[in-house]
Structures are given as structure tokens and as C-alpha cells.
Amino acid sequence: MWARLSVFAGGFELDAAEGICADHRLAAEEVLELLAALAGKSILIVAHREGVARYRLSEPLREYGQECLQSSGEYTALRRRHRDWHEQLARRVDLDWLSPLFREHANMQAAQDFCQTEPGEAEAGLRIALHVWFFHCWIAGHVSEGRYRLDQVLARAGEPTVWRAQGLLLASFLAAVGGDRSAIQPLLEQGTDLAGQLNDPATHAFAAWVAGHLCLFAGDLPQAIAHCEDGLAALPVAVRGRQRAHLLICMANAAGLAGDEERAVACHRELAALTEAGSEYIRCAYCAYSLWALGAAAWRRGDLDRATGLQQQSLRLRRHDRMGSTYCVEALAWIAASGRQYERVAILLGAATSVLQSMGTTLDGNQYIAGYHRDCERQARQALGEAAFQAAHRRGRELPTEDALAYALQQPPEKPPKKTSAPAISDEAALTPRELQVARLIAGGRSNKEIAAGLVISQRTAEGHVEHILTKLGFTSRAQVAAWVAASQPDGGGA
């Protein structure tokens, strides 16, 4: 059991141990007792979070277990079972499943590592990337890592399948999000051409969604709406899931930015009807995206009070969505500029910039949004003067995430900012110099494999450093480490 548990990275729960480690030699009903025995011998560390027991091996004991597993000849088979189990988890991804995905981020990375390095497994890695991208790249904010992993499996999965077509299209979208403009069009053309050969409605709709976003980013709002309409028409009426919702959100955003409140409201109502049978969390999450569009439409119409209220309502519903909440903060800065609240503009722009940098991305790929950003920044600089603008912008960059969101919502922070700001990078967290290096690389969006290559250490050692950082800081995700690093830097810029 010890040897088999070594396939897990960053911890595991009982259902995963039973699903991956049990077989004809080790019955599933014996697993819990064996876990308790290993914990009793201090081989396993046990923590209880959200009412669930989570187990992990310290890195030295995990490395010894892996050596034993390799000696037994079971290592590749167990890695494949680990990959299969986490691919099934990825298939179940929905907005109700965010908590498990936050907890299993390291295991998802390990599953993708296996797919990237084991011959013949690249398409499974592509499937995982496509299942989790919205959570991984958008909500959790791992844009750079998501792009890297997608590129790795696309280079190895060359068969003309729907997965490859969708992977190429997603790579084009993420290139735009990451500001890599030279990569957008070639990937889009490859993905669109392959999608056209496959005659798959879901892939056709996904191509329309990507094309719609690229037009939205470029400011061609009518064409963005036309692509979304094409994608909705391609989907069978019976398909009422996340793909239809995403097309409606894209259309609502384009309509809102165009000032077409009537169309934005129609999309909002259709989204509400689409998610009516889902959980309250799903309804609220999708509602948050269409509220952003309604807020943009109200701002374009000059109704600043309504625009502020809608954007703040959207922000309250997606405080844990890193990219989505950043766009709310950005829009609130535009509204503040229209209201001549220029110090507020500079603080909000600084807060938004800090989060984007911690995710390894910028607004450069979204030229339409970047244009509004530049306009309100220019207005604030002229009104405040360069020194006052820079001071306010720095204040925004240095705000801890929760304080930044509270400021955007016009609520007082829970504590004075000086007391709640993240500890200085040399403070009580007591990370070693090497761990500080690794933390900064995490903030730059590097995967464990990239960290290992950059520091000329083994990937296992890199994983150990990441685990120690999470433990010392009391965090559960790389996104929290990135935010801590960004808040700890004098310029708020992260790594």
C-alpha cells in the first residue's frame, strides 16, 4: 500500500486510494484499515478539511515508495490507473466540482506529466486538458501552465480527432488570453480546418465560440455575435450544458460592450432558464457572467449607478474566480473614470494589474478591453498627475486579494491593510532561499517540470519544494502561492 500510494502528488482521499490502489491482491474494503495503520506509524500524514480526511506522504517517504513500486514492476501500471482515475474526475468537471479540483491540482499535474512523457498517452492528456481548462486556466488562473501543458500534448497527439481539433482551437484562445498574438491565427486556422473535416456539432460550436471570443478581443462586436449565433445553431436542441452557456455568455459580453442592453438581457434570461434545473451555485455562477455584460451595457449608456451595482453584484458572485473577478475590477475602474473618481481608478487598475501578472498574463491579447484600460488610465494620469497616480496605482498593486475585492465592492477591509497584507517574503513563513526561488517560479506560472529544468534539479525534488511551500504558508493551491508572492513584492509584480 505504501508503494502504491507513492503515485499521488500533494495528497489524496479515501475514494482515490480505493479506486487506484485496490485490485485482486489488495481488496478495496481493506484500504481504510491500511491507511489507518500507516498513519498510526507516522508514515502517512492525515489532515481533515471540509469534513474530509486527506492523506499524504512526506517527500522522502514518497520517494522511497516510488523506488519500491518501480522495483516491483508496477510503477507504469499504477501511474496509468492514477491517470485514468483523474481523467474521470476531469470528465465530471462542472461548477459544482470546483472544490475537488482545487484539492487535486497536484494530482492532475501528475496525471498530465504521465501523459506527456509516456509513449502513446498524449491523447489522454489532451482530453484532460480540455476537460479542466476552464477551471484550471480561467477560474484558478494557471494560464501559463495551461498553455504549456496543452502545447506539450498537441505536439504528441497528431491524429485528426475531435480532441485535437478542440485542442488547437483552445490553444488559439489561450494564446490570445496570454497576449501571444503571433500564435493566435495559425492555431485557429489549423483547428478550424480540422473541425470542418470532422462534421462534429460540438466541435463546430466550440470553433464558433473561439472565433467569437477572438472577434470580441479585437473589437469586432457584430462578428463576435454572429459567430456565437452560428455556434448555438450548430448545437442540437437537446444539448443544454456548459457549451451552450458559454456561447450565450460570449454573446452577452459582446452585446453589453456594444451597448445593446436588449440583447444582453435576452442572453441573461436564456442563461437563467438554461441553468434553472442546476444547483444554486451553477445558477449564480453563470448569472455572474451575464451581470457583467449588463453592467457594461449600462456603463456604455451612461447609467453609472446601475453599472456599478451590476458589476459589484457580479463580483460578489465570483470572488473565487480569479480571471472573472479581475474583469469586474477592471470594469469598475472604467465606471469610476466616467464618474471622475480618479484616485479610485488608479487603485482599481493597480489591483487588476497585480492579479493578471500573478497569473502570467496581461490584457494585451484582448485589445478591446485593453483600449478601455488605456483610456481610463490616461484620464487618471492627467487628472492626478504622475506622482499621485503612481502612488495610488502602487496602493492597488499592494492590496491583498480580499482587501482589493472589498475596495472594489466599496466595503471596508476586515482589518487595516498594513496588518492584513501578505507577510514579507523574508518574514515569518521562513522559506529557505531555494523555496523562495521556487515560489517565485510558481508565481510566474511555471509547472513542476519547468521549475525542475530551470533550477537543474529533479522533478521529484521540485515537487517536494512545492509541497513544503504549501505546508509552511498554510496554503492548498499554487494560485495562493502566486498571490502571496505578488503581494510580497515591493512593486506587486510577482515573479
Side-chain angles (χ1 to χ4, degrees):
M1 175 59 100
W2 178 353
R4 292 181 178 189
L5 293 175
S6 70
V7 297
F8 290 102
F12 59 91
E13 294 167 15
L14 175 61
D15 58 344
E18 290 175 337
I20 295 167
C21 299
D23 62 7
H24 65 284
R25 293 174 54 201
L26 197 162
E29 53 268 23
E30 296 175 359
V31 169
L32 180 57
E33 183 178 348
L34 289 167
L35 293 178
L38 288 168
K41 297 177 185 296
S42 298
I43 292 169
L44 278 178
I45 300 166
V46 189
H48 293 268
R49 289 178 182 166
E50 302 176 10
V52 177
R54 190 164 182 84
Y55 306 85
R56 67 179 178 87
L57 289 163
S58 67
E59 195 59 28
L61 296 181
R62 181 172 178 246
E63 289 181 359
Y64 176 71
Q66 287 181 332
E67 290 171 6
C68 294
L69 194 62
Q70 288 170 333
S71 297
S72 72
E74 291 188 326
Y75 182 74
T76 300
L78 262 291
R79 288 292 305 274
R80 185 172 285 111
R81 284 159 65 176
H82 175 274
R83 188 278 315 281
D84 291 344
W85 197 91
H86 286 92
E87 183 181 349
Q88 288 303 312
L89 176 64
R91 286 177 183 272
R92 299 197 298 271
V93 167
D94 208 327
L95 289 173
D96 281 332
W97 278 78
L98 294 187
S99 183
L101 284 181
F102 273 115
R103 293 197 302 268
E104 301 303 339
H105 179 60
N107 280 310
M108 284 293 180
Q109 288 180 309
Q112 290 177 299
D113 287 342
F114 175 78
C115 295
Q116 288 169 206
T117 56
E118 188 69 18
E121 302 291 347
E123 186 162 301
L126 188 52
R127 293 195 300 266
I128 292 172
L130 285 162
H131 287 313
V132 303
W133 79 265
F134 183 64
F135 161 78
H136 186 251
C137 298
W138 198 263
I139 292 176
H142 303 300
V143 178
S144 297
E145 182 184 344
R147 286 193 67 199
Y148 169 78
R149 290 190 177 280
L150 185 58
D151 289 346
Q152 291 295 302
V153 289
L154 279 172
R156 292 168 172 78
E159 292 297 314
T161 63
V162 294
W163 300 109
R164 178 166 176 79
Q166 292 181 25
L168 289 164
L169 291 163
L170 177 58
S172 177
F173 171 78
L174 293 179
V177 172
D180 186 1
R181 281 184 264 178
S182 64
I184 298 170
Q185 197 60 32
L187 289 165
L188 178 66
E189 290 174 359
Q190 292 178 60
T192 302
D193 289 348
L194 183 52
Q197 299 170 28
L198 296 170
N199 194 30
D200 175 67
T203 304
H204 181 104
F206 190 67
W209 178 85
V210 171
H213 267 90
L214 296 182
C215 288
L216 175 63
F217 293 168
D220 189 348
L221 304 182
Q223 191 60 46
I225 291 170
H227 280 303
C228 291
E229 289 175 334
D230 179 48
L232 289 167
L235 287 175
V237 176
V239 176
R240 300 185 58 78
R242 191 171 62 181
Q243 195 166 23
R244 185 177 294 276
H246 283 186
L247 283 160
L248 286 168
I249 290 168
C250 182
M251 186 187 295
N253 288 340
L257 289 168
D260 185 351
E261 189 167 14
E262 183 178 354
R263 188 188 290 267
V265 168
C267 292
H268 178 73
R269 289 174 176 164
E270 189 170 350
L271 270 169
L274 183 66
T275 59
E276 186 176 4
S279 70
E280 182 178 359
Y281 189 93
I282 289 176
R283 292 196 301 274
C284 289
Y286 282 136
C287 177
Y289 283 92
S290 54
L291 285 171
W292 189 96
L294 294 177
W299 170 62
R300 289 295 305 273
R301 200 177 63 251
D303 189 344
L304 303 187
D305 288 342
R306 175 171 166 76
T308 299
L310 288 165
Q311 291 296 351
Q312 290 179 337
Q313 188 179 353
S314 176
L315 179 56
R316 288 187 193 97
L317 292 173
R318 50 177 174 170
R319 290 180 75 134
H320 300 295
D321 173 347
R322 295 192 76 207
M323 189 73 79
S325 62
T326 303
Y327 272 75
C328 288
V329 172
E330 179 73 29
L332 285 165
W334 311 339
I335 298 164
S338 296
R340 300 183 180 181
Q341 299 172 289
Y342 294 118
E343 183 180 30
R344 178 171 169 80
V345 170
I347 293 171
L348 290 172
L349 291 179
T353 298
S354 177
V355 177
L356 288 169
Q357 287 177 339
S358 76
M359 290 189 288
T361 187
T362 68
L363 290 176
D364 289 349
N366 190 335
Q367 285 299 297
Y368 200 61
I369 298 295
Y372 288 134
H373 179 102
R374 289 190 294 269
D375 285 346
C376 74
E377 179 179 314
R378 176 182 48 77
Q379 293 174 46
R381 285 181 188 275
Q382 289 177 348
L384 295 174
E386 188 63 24
F389 174 84
Q390 288 294 347
H393 197 270
R394 188 182 310 112
R395 282 176 56 198
R397 294 200 310 270
E398 292 175 352
L399 282 174
T401 300
E402 283 304 311
D403 285 359
L405 297 182
Y407 181 82
L409 292 168
Q410 295 175 298
Q411 299 171 346
E414 293 183 7
K415 297 179 182 179
K418 288 185 179 179
K419 295 182 181 179
T420 59
S421 59
I425 210 156
S426 59
D427 210 278
E428 69 267 21
L431 299 187
T432 67
R434 177 64 92 186
E435 287 165 353
L436 289 173
Q437 283 184 297
V438 173
R440 292 183 178 112
L441 291 170
I442 291 171
R446 304 295 193 276
S447 67
N448 288 346
K449 186 174 181 180
E450 290 175 303
I451 290 170
L455 299 180
V456 196
I457 57 177
S458 73
Q459 189 167 331
R460 289 186 195 172
T461 301
E463 290 169 357
H465 286 315
V466 172
E467 184 178 351
H468 295 158
I469 291 165
L470 292 172
T471 300
K472 287 183 178 183
L473 297 178
F475 293 157
T476 58
S477 74
R478 298 166 81 92
Q480 290 173 299
V481 176
W484 177 79
V485 171
S488 299
Q489 297 296 318
D491 65 352

